[in-house]
Amino acid sequence: MIRALEPRDRDHWQALYRGYQAFYGHDRAPEFYDKAFARLMSGDARDFQGLVYDDGGLLGLVHYVFHPNLWRDEGVCYLQDLFTSDQARGRGVGRALIRGVYDAADAAGVPNVYWLTAEDNYAGRMLYDRVGQKSPFIRYNRPL
Amino acid sequence: MIRALEPRDRDHWQALYRGYQAFYGHDRAPEFYDKAFARLMSGDARDFQGLVYDDGGLLGLVHYVFHPNLWRDEGVCYLQDLFTSDQARGRGVGRALIRGVYDAADAAGVPNVYWLTAEDNYAGRMLYDRVGQKSPFIRYNRPL
Amino acid sequence: MIRALEPRDRDHWQALYRGYQAFYGHDRAPEFYDKAFARLMSGDARDFQGLVYDDGGLLGLVHYVFHPNLWRDEGVCYLQDLFTSDQARGRGVGRALIRGVYDAADAAGVPNVYWLTAEDNYAGRMLYDRVGQKSPFIRYNRPL
Amino acid sequence: MIRALEPRDRDHWQALYRGYQAFYGHDRAPEFYDKAFARLMSGDARDFQGLVYDDGGLLGLVHYVFHPNLWRDEGVCYLQDLFTSDQARGRGVGRALIRGVYDAADAAGVPNVYWLTAEDNYAGRMLYDRVGQKSPFIRYNRPL
């Protein structure tokens, strides 16, 4: 049910990713999705990869990237985007997608996977506390 | 006073970086420093870069890397390691090093800089609140 | 539907309060409930008061107390316990109980109401973010 | 060096407490201090008590109150205000004041002492982490 994102997923993927962007308050132009999909399909191992939960229709997506870490030769895996459709809620789709990233990370020899989430993303954290481990680390940004 | 890390900095850099690792409770083998320094000197624009605060002697270091972000074509800049020597405390060294990364990020066309810190790193956060902006994002890790 | 706790509520109140204590991992002796109920029924304006959500059966309870605050002559109102039965979820019972405390506090001339909750009480916080306001204050305890 | 606040401390107490109020951004009218001091001197065991650190001059103050808690017959002790003068920093004054409250709480048979502090009160938390224990509890307020 978890499989790599493919070119034929374009429309369903965009519908899901638009929902994710809306969750964070973003209304993106079509070009945003064009670029993101092109990158996900580029085959560049240093750029983002996508997985989907396919149950006949697409119920969820996850995007991740490997990037260097000075403490670890093999680098780390950053899970940036995770989203499931409303009808997928409570069916283990989010959990399966995260585990899909764990498997992909293992296959790449990069076992360390991390993600960031808003402190008040309660629904997300209910899942993350089961499948991941909260760290004491918080994010600071350059003010722009 | 802020300048790129250079091969001649090897010994002083290692003394500083050992202090940083000790702050996080790590006692690293010499090979850890060999590898890290080699990467910092590799010239690979996709791997880590280093800056130092040089006031005759080295008073501080910072390591950063550019990595892809699916939301931004130009990617983001991750500031992983920041450390200043005890004698540098209160002299603006940490602030200057962070600003050095901001400048490097601007020069690379990657204005977004972020870093992670432990929630109870009070001394660090006193600085970070002045030069950066706390986000509501917290880090989750895959349990290993 | 919100009304003061009454002597006839003893059994249903205890069933609810036992559920609340279980949520926090406590298995209390019967005396715990005897004492708590006696205090709630004592009529002492300086001790705890109870409200229930009565919809034929009791669907929820809340306990609160007024206590001095050096910054405010009139003191403050501390909402200590809030619990709703499983069958009450999603029916606005928790919200109505908190509003019941707000009304009682207004009637007592003590408009400031506060409560504490575990940072990872996600279900609770979904409600609290709608009816209350998260403060930046965290609790420290004497180590015992 | 830790002793109960006394009537003769009025002026020095007010200077310290004004500093504390300023720390939280408050510029209080004289009546605020009149009322607070009168309450601290009232002898009412249910209202606030004060301790000072006296080293010839007053170097710090702490205010606390006992209030009911439905989970504990003996109630709890709330430490509301803690402040030390600038010249007292680094001399263990804050720690001694907190321990003074612990002792007073023990003498009253109310061993549980707690306080609240802003998440970003770094200087305070450096002390609190040594003498107290951070809980996972955060404070919500009624929006007024």
Side-chain angles (χ1 to χ4, degrees):
Chain A
M1 297 202 175
I2 298 292
R3 62 167 176 80
L5 183 68
E6 296 176 9
R8 63 180 165 113
D9 298 320
R10 181 68 166 83
D11 292 351
H12 290 134
W13 166 86
Q14 184 161 332
L16 285 171
Y17 199 33
R18 186 182 284 123
Y20 178 77
Q21 293 290 331
F23 176 79
Y24 280 105
H26 298 296
D27 181 17
R28 305 286 193 183
E31 294 74 32
F32 176 85
Y33 299 100
D34 293 343
K35 282 185 194 168
F37 197 75
R39 289 173 62 183
L40 289 160
M41 291 295 106
S42 72
D44 181 349
R46 297 212 195 192
D47 207 340
F48 274 84
Q49 317 296 320
L51 299 177
V52 291
Y53 188 103
D54 182 349
D55 195 28
L58 295 196
L59 295 182
L61 63 76
V62 66
H63 301 147
Y64 60 96
V65 72
F66 299 104
H67 73 74
N69 183 292
L70 197 57
W71 299 25
R72 304 179 182 284
D73 288 345
E74 74 278 14
V76 292
C77 176
Y78 171 44
L79 188 166
Q80 183 172 13
D81 302 322
L82 174 71
F83 191 68
T84 61
S85 67
D86 282 344
Q87 57 264 45
R89 298 285 152 76
R91 293 172 55 183
V93 175
R95 177 193 289 255
L97 285 162
I98 293 175
R99 289 194 189 282
V101 176
Y102 290 172
D103 290 342
D106 284 338
V110 183
N112 284 274
V113 180
Y114 75 96
W115 60 96
L116 304 175
T117 197
E119 189 270 338
D120 62 353
N121 178 8
Y122 307 130
R125 292 182 63 191
M126 285 180 190
L127 167 61
Y128 305 154
D129 283 348
R130 289 197 304 270
V131 74
Q133 198 158 34
K134 181 180 179 289
S135 85
F137 283 78
I138 60 176
R139 176 170 170 153
Y140 273 82
N141 294 318
R142 176 187 188 178
L144 288 180
Chain B
M1 293 201 174
I2 298 292
R3 61 166 177 80
L5 183 68
E6 297 177 8
R8 63 180 164 112
D9 297 320
R10 181 67 167 84
D11 293 349
H12 290 134
W13 168 85
Q14 184 162 331
L16 285 170
Y17 199 31
R18 185 181 286 123
Y20 178 77
Q21 293 290 331
F23 176 78
Y24 280 105
H26 298 297
D27 181 16
R28 304 287 193 182
E31 294 73 33
F32 177 84
Y33 299 99
D34 293 344
K35 282 184 193 167
F37 197 75
R39 289 173 61 183
L40 289 161
M41 291 296 106
S42 73
D44 181 349
R46 297 214 195 190
D47 206 340
F48 275 84
Q49 316 296 320
L51 299 178
V52 291
Y53 188 103
D54 182 349
D55 196 29
L58 295 196
L59 295 182
L61 63 76
V62 66
H63 302 148
Y64 60 97
V65 71
F66 299 103
H67 73 75
N69 183 293
L70 197 59
W71 297 26
R72 302 178 182 284
D73 289 343
E74 74 279 13
V76 292
C77 177
Y78 169 44
L79 188 166
Q80 183 172 11
D81 302 321
L82 175 71
F83 191 69
T84 61
S85 66
D86 283 344
Q87 57 265 43
R89 299 285 153 74
R91 292 171 56 182
V93 174
R95 176 193 290 254
L97 285 162
I98 293 174
R99 289 194 188 283
V101 175
Y102 290 173
D103 291 341
D106 284 337
V110 183
N112 285 274
V113 180
Y114 75 95
W115 60 97
L116 304 174
T117 198
E119 189 270 337
D120 62 353
N121 178 8
Y122 306 130
R125 293 182 63 191
M126 285 180 190
L127 168 61
Y128 304 153
D129 282 350
R130 290 197 303 271
V131 74
Q133 198 157 35
K134 181 180 179 288
S135 85
F137 283 78
I138 60 177
R139 176 171 170 151
Y140 273 82
N141 294 316
R142 175 187 189 179
L144 289 180
Chain C
M1 294 202 175
I2 299 292
R3 62 167 176 80
L5 183 68
E6 297 177 9
R8 63 180 164 113
D9 298 320
R10 181 67 167 82
D11 291 350
H12 290 134
W13 167 86
Q14 184 162 331
L16 285 170
Y17 200 31
R18 186 181 286 124
Y20 178 77
Q21 292 290 331
F23 176 79
Y24 281 105
H26 298 297
D27 180 17
R28 305 289 193 180
E31 294 74 31
F32 177 84
Y33 299 99
D34 293 343
K35 282 184 194 168
F37 197 75
R39 290 173 61 184
L40 289 161
M41 290 295 107
S42 72
D44 181 350
R46 298 213 195 190
D47 207 340
F48 274 83
Q49 316 296 320
L51 299 177
V52 291
Y53 189 103
D54 182 350
D55 195 28
L58 296 196
L59 296 181
L61 63 77
V62 66
H63 301 147
Y64 60 96
V65 71
F66 300 104
H67 73 74
N69 183 293
L70 197 58
W71 299 25
R72 303 178 183 284
D73 289 345
E74 75 278 14
V76 292
C77 177
Y78 170 44
L79 188 166
Q80 184 172 10
D81 302 322
L82 175 70
F83 191 69
T84 61
S85 67
D86 283 344
Q87 58 265 44
R89 299 286 152 76
R91 293 171 55 181
V93 174
R95 177 193 290 254
L97 285 162
I98 293 175
R99 289 193 188 282
V101 176
Y102 290 173
D103 291 342
D106 284 338
V110 183
N112 284 274
V113 180
Y114 75 95
W115 60 94
L116 304 175
T117 197
E119 189 271 337
D120 62 353
N121 178 7
Y122 306 130
R125 292 182 62 191
M126 285 179 189
L127 167 62
Y128 304 154
D129 283 349
R130 289 197 303 271
V131 74
Q133 197 158 35
K134 181 180 179 287
S135 84
F137 283 78
I138 61 177
R139 175 170 170 154
Y140 273 83
N141 294 318
R142 176 186 188 179
L144 288 180
Chain D
M1 295 205 176
I2 298 292
R3 61 167 177 80
L5 183 68
E6 298 176 8
R8 65 181 162 112
D9 297 320
R10 181 66 167 82
D11 291 350
H12 290 135
W13 167 86
Q14 184 161 331
L16 285 170
Y17 199 32
R18 186 181 286 124
Y20 178 77
Q21 293 290 331
F23 176 79
Y24 281 104
H26 299 297
D27 181 16
R28 304 288 193 181
E31 294 73 34
F32 177 84
Y33 299 100
D34 294 343
K35 282 185 194 167
F37 197 75
R39 289 174 62 184
L40 289 161
M41 290 295 105
S42 72
D44 181 350
R46 298 212 195 191
D47 207 340
F48 275 84
Q49 316 296 320
L51 298 178
V52 291
Y53 188 103
D54 182 349
D55 196 29
L58 295 196
L59 295 182
L61 62 76
V62 66
H63 301 147
Y64 60 97
V65 71
F66 299 103
H67 74 73
N69 183 292
L70 198 58
W71 298 26
R72 303 178 182 284
D73 290 343
E74 75 278 13
V76 292
C77 176
Y78 170 44
L79 187 166
Q80 183 173 12
D81 302 322
L82 174 71
F83 191 68
T84 61
S85 66
D86 283 343
Q87 58 265 42
R89 299 286 152 73
R91 292 172 55 182
V93 174
R95 175 194 291 255
L97 286 162
I98 293 174
R99 290 194 188 283
V101 176
Y102 290 172
D103 290 342
D106 284 337
V110 184
N112 284 274
V113 180
Y114 75 96
W115 60 97
L116 304 175
T117 197
E119 189 270 337
D120 62 354
N121 178 8
Y122 306 130
R125 292 183 63 191
M126 285 181 190
L127 168 61
Y128 304 154
D129 283 350
R130 289 197 303 270
V131 74
Q133 198 157 35
K134 180 180 180 289
S135 84
F137 283 79
I138 61 176
R139 176 171 170 151
Y140 273 82
N141 293 317
R142 175 187 188 178
L144 288 181

